[in-house]
Amino acid sequence: MSDVKNISERISYKKHPDFITLVISPRLEEKKQLLLSFWFFAWTFCGLVFISQLFFAKTQEFIISLIVMISFWAYYEYRIGYVWMWRRKGVELIKLEDGKMTYKRSLRSMGKAYDFYVDNIRNFGLVEIKPTSFGAVMSNSFWVIGGERLRFEYQNKEVKIGIQLSDEEADKLRRFLNDLFIDELKKLKEQGRPLASV
C-alpha cells in the first residue's frame, strides 16, 4: 500500500520518517494536451519549411528575410517546446525538513532547488488575481508556465509557487503548508535550536 496521499487531483504528499515531500503536477486535460501537441508539431513543421527554403533562395534579400523569420520561429519553438515538455514531464517539488522548505521546478529531474528557512517566511498566502485582467488570462493559459497561486516574502523578496492551481487547490495547499510550517517551528523551539535570522 502506497504512503502517498492526495490533497487534490494534482497535489500529493508523502510523509517520511524525518521529512515530508509534496508534488504538484502541471498535467492538462486530455483535449488541451492534444491541442498543445498539435500546435507544437505544426509550429515545428512550419519552421522546417522555412529552413528548407534557404537551399532554394536565389536573392540576398530573400535569404535575409528567411533568417529573420527563422530567428522568430526558433525563439517561439523553444518557448512552446519547453511548455510542451513541462506539461508532460514536469512537476513542482516541495520538501520540508529540519526547519527548511526546498522548492524545485523539476523537468525530468533537471531544475534548480531553492531553500527557504521556515522562520524567515513572511506573509504566506494566496496571490490576489483579477480574473478580468489581460495578465491574469494570459498567465493562466495552458500554453504558458505561470499563474502561481501562492506567495510569501523571504528576505525582502516575493516568492511564488503553485502554478495554475484552482482557487480550491490553492487554498487547500495554503492551509496544509501553513500547518506544516507551524509544526516545524514548534520542533525547532522544542529542540532549543536558534531560529534563522530575518
Side-chain angles (χ1 to χ4, degrees), residues 2-197:
S2 174
D3 293 330
V4 176
K5 297 181 180 180
N6 292 323
I7 295 174
S8 73
E9 188 176 337
R10 291 177 51 202
I11 309 170
S12 60
Y13 70 94
K14 183 175 181 179
K15 290 187 176 180
H16 305 263
D18 298 318
F19 62 93
I20 185 168
T21 53
L22 293 95
V23 177
I24 305 173
S25 168
R27 304 298 179 268
L28 291 170
E29 300 168 16
E30 188 175 347
K31 289 181 180 179
K32 288 182 178 179
Q33 186 66 49
L34 285 172
L35 183 58
L36 187 64
S37 296
F38 174 78
W39 181 13
F40 174 53
F41 290 114
W43 188 258
T44 301
F45 175 77
C46 290
L48 295 175
V49 171
F50 293 152
I51 292 169
S52 70
Q53 293 306 303
L54 286 172
F55 300 102
F56 303 103
K58 295 181 180 179
T59 66
Q60 190 73 17
E61 291 81 6
F62 187 56
I63 291 174
I64 292 171
S65 298
L66 277 174
I67 290 173
V68 170
M69 289 177 66
I70 291 169
S71 298
F72 170 81
W73 167 83
Y75 172 75
Y76 284 100
E77 175 75 1
Y78 169 77
R79 293 287 299 270
I80 192 62
Y82 187 81
V83 172
W84 183 76
M85 281 295 295
W86 168 259
R87 293 295 187 182
R88 291 170 52 84
K89 303 292 182 181
V91 290
E92 288 178 272
L93 300 175
I94 299 172
K95 180 181 179 183
L96 203 64
E97 179 182 26
D98 206 24
K100 180 175 65 177
M101 181 181 79
T102 301
Y103 173 77
K104 179 181 179 182
R105 289 187 185 181
S106 179
L107 180 59
R108 288 183 173 270
S109 77
M110 295 183 295
K112 185 175 180 180
Y114 297 90
D115 293 331
F116 306 96
Y117 288 97
V118 172
D119 52 314
N120 274 350
I121 292 175
R122 301 283 183 267
N123 300 320
F124 178 67
L126 299 175
V127 174
E128 291 185 20
I129 293 179
K130 296 177 181 178
T132 56
S133 72
F134 178 76
V137 172
M138 286 301 295
S139 66
N140 283 303
S141 302
F142 65 87
W143 58 84
V144 299
I145 301 173
E148 296 87 346
R149 297 303 316 277
L150 295 177
R151 63 164 304 278
F152 58 87
E153 293 172 13
Y154 190 82
Q155 297 180 341
N156 298 319
K157 293 182 181 178
E158 185 178 54
V159 180
K160 294 181 180 180
I161 62 175
I163 296 172
Q164 294 181 351
L165 295 175
S166 68
D167 291 342
E168 183 181 358
E169 288 174 320
D171 190 54
K172 284 182 178 179
L173 182 58
R174 177 192 62 79
R175 286 187 276 116
F176 185 80
L177 284 175
N178 196 56
D179 289 342
L180 291 180
F181 293 161
I182 292 170
D183 290 343
E184 285 297 308
L185 289 172
K186 284 180 181 177
K187 288 179 189 175
L188 292 178
K189 289 179 181 178
E190 286 170 2
Q191 295 169 2
R193 294 168 53 186
L195 300 179
S197 59

